[in-house]
């Protein structure tokens, strides 16, 4: 744990990609309030679109400016997870998705978060994000804005609705499957660490 923390502190903090990630994180409570308070879905959708744009931009800037940092690697997925959790909470409270769908996706993140100290204890870094996890997040980040759009009646809502639910189903299934794969990596790492010390 101490070594991991030292790695974060040793990296440059004030980089442009990190600033964008912090702005994304700051948008989470605003996004949730817009969904649950005034139910300003179009404004909430705008926040989500800006978040998606900055998510793409901070990765590009990190590569272009060579401003990689351990903090950035932590902030970026944290912002993604918080937007997903905030959206699920709002959607359950507004009866957009069933509670068990939200519970399954949130439980996946809780289990994987609890695995992190176990990995640290055995001397491992968190598993790297793989393509399946990225694909799952991509699908969910498309599903949520589309689900927001179809809450209001508009000329193409009947066309968009099945697309929104398709992205939700694909994204949810991939998200859970990616979680199972991550959990498998954790179990394998712990088993390997115990084999070394045996």
């Amino acid at each position: 744990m101490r070594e991991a923390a030292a790695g974060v502190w040793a990296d440059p903090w004030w980089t442009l990609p990190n600033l964008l990630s912090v702005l994304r994180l700051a948008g989470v409570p605003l996004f949730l309030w817009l969904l649950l308070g005034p139910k300003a879905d179009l404004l909430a959708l705008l926040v989500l679109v800006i978040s998606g744009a900055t998510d793409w931009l901070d990765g590009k800037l990190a590569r272009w400016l060579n401003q990689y940092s351990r903090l950035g690697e932590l902030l970026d997925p944290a912002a993604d997870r918080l937007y997903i959790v905030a959206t699920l909470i709002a959607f359950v409270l507004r009866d957009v998705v069933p509670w068990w769908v939200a519970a399954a996706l949130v439980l996946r993140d809780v289990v994987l978060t609890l695995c992190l100290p176990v990995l640290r204890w055995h001397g491992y870094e968190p598993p790297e994000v793989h393509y399946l996890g990225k694909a799952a997040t991509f699908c969910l980040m498309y599903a949520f804005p589309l689900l927001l759009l179809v809450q209001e009646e508009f000329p193409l809502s009947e066309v968009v609705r099945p697309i929104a639910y398709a992205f939700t189903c694909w994204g949810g299934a991939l998200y859970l499957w990616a979680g199972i794969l991550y959990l498998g990596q954790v179990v394998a790492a712990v088993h390997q660490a115990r084999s070394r010390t045996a």
Side-chain angles (χ1 to χ4, degrees), residues 55-56 80-81 84 131-146 167-168 170-172 174-175:
D55 184 24
W56 173 83
D80 288 341
R81 299 298 169 268
I84 288 172
Y131 73 93
L132 193 61
K134 290 181 180 178
T137 303
F138 175 84
C139 284
L140 289 176
M141 288 303 186
Y142 266 89
F144 294 156
L146 292 173
F167 268 112
T168 304
W170 296 333
L174 288 174
Y175 201 67

Side-chain angles (χ1 to χ4, degrees), residues 43-116:
L43 286 176
L45 180 60
L46 179 61
V47 172
L48 199 59
V49 168
I50 292 171
S51 167
T54 56
D55 184 24
W56 173 83
L57 186 58
D58 67 13
K60 286 290 186 186
L61 288 174
R63 286 188 288 275
W64 289 340
L65 303 175
N66 196 25
Q67 291 186 340
Y68 292 101
S69 70
R70 181 63 184 145
L71 178 64
E73 290 175 1
L74 295 173
L75 287 176
D76 194 45
D80 288 341
R81 299 298 169 268
L82 285 173
Y83 272 103
I84 288 172
V85 170
T87 306
L88 289 171
I89 289 169
F91 280 3
V92 168
L93 292 174
R94 292 180 53 180
D95 294 321
V96 176
V97 296
W99 68 268
W100 55 268
V101 171
L105 298 180
V106 171
L107 182 62
R108 177 259 198 203
D109 280 344
V110 169
V111 169
L112 292 182
T113 300
L114 293 175
C115 288
L116 295 179

